[in-house]
Amino acid sequence: MVLMESCQRNPAFARSRVLAPEIALLDQLEAELEESNAGYQLEIARRDIEASGAGCWSDSDPRFAQRHVEMAREDFGRAYRRLVSLAPQLAGPWPHDPLPPEISASFRKAVSALPLTGEVMCRISEYRDDRWIMGPAWQAVSAFRESLKGTAYAPHYDMAREDAVFIESITVVECAAPSRDAPEEVRDAVERHAASTIANIRRDFDIR
């Protein structure tokens, strides 16, 4: 919330300047947690924001701009208190991670494009059960995760999956009408997309 800038950059209303106290507090927390497991998690969160993009606020209207700053401060306050309360539970040392941070962030972003959670938020087909539609794709994703056992990529896959589960738990969606295409065609298309995504991940990260 506090790291996002305005979509329409206005030197007179730079969010990074307006929210400087909150950003400084976050930087201070990261410094205090340096070398700890909690600090490692904070770095992962920041890397994931950098890899995926934080988005921007539509601040062309000064009234909305001010409200967006207030929202950021309110949400930051709640999140900061939560971070502080969780930190003691992650008090162990910074875990050894053989992957460079920028590589692991790129991997988590790539994995997030897969159907990771085994759930469907909107009905897919008018004619067949969603689990029938998604079954082959989920099997391919599960086999991919199994193939990562013992590699440095496995924990980062699991992080991406847990993030996806959490995001789904707090997301409200407006569903389009289910597809009226032949269900076999829909299932095959979903499976091909999953297989193609997995193949691209294996190629891009040299995973055999």
Side-chain angles (χ1 to χ4, degrees), residues 37-203:
N37 192 11
Y40 174 68
Q41 296 296 328
L42 273 178
E43 181 186 80
I44 285 176
R46 191 181 280 265
R47 291 279 184 177
D48 284 349
I49 289 173
E50 293 170 352
S52 300
C56 61
W57 289 99
S58 180
D59 288 336
S60 56
D61 186 319
R63 294 168 299 175
F64 283 124
Q66 183 57 42
R67 179 56 187 142
H68 293 158
V69 167
E70 294 169 359
M71 291 167 58
R73 283 182 172 143
E74 292 167 3
D75 285 357
F76 174 82
R78 285 191 293 268
Y80 180 82
R81 290 189 293 272
R82 180 65 173 151
L83 285 172
V84 171
S85 71
L86 288 172
Q89 302 174 47
L90 298 166
W94 191 285
H96 171 68
D97 187 349
L99 291 180
E102 62 276 9
I103 297 297
S104 59
S106 295
F107 176 77
R108 291 191 299 273
K109 180 182 178 182
V111 166
S112 69
L114 292 169
L116 296 173
T117 66
E119 299 293 336
V120 177
M121 300 188 74
C122 290
R123 186 177 176 188
I124 300 170
S125 172
E126 180 74 25
Y127 307 112
R128 292 299 300 260
D129 177 79
D130 290 332
R131 294 191 171 276
W132 184 87
I133 296 289
M134 294 298 300
W138 284 338
Q139 290 175 11
V141 171
S142 178
F144 176 54
R145 171 60 183 89
E146 187 70 17
S147 74
L148 296 176
K149 277 187 175 179
T151 73
Y153 290 101
H156 292 284
Y157 177 103
D158 294 341
M159 290 180 208
R161 182 185 183 280
E162 291 306 316
D163 282 348
V165 170
F166 175 72
I167 289 170
E168 284 188 4
S169 75
I170 61 173
T171 299
V172 177
V173 297
E174 184 174 342
C175 296
S179 172
R180 299 180 67 85
D181 293 339
E184 292 80 9
E185 294 179 3
V186 177
R187 181 175 64 170
D188 290 347
V190 172
E191 182 181 12
R192 285 196 302 272
H193 177 72
S196 175
T197 302
I198 290 169
N200 289 340
I201 293 172
R202 289 190 180 280
R203 180 200 65 211

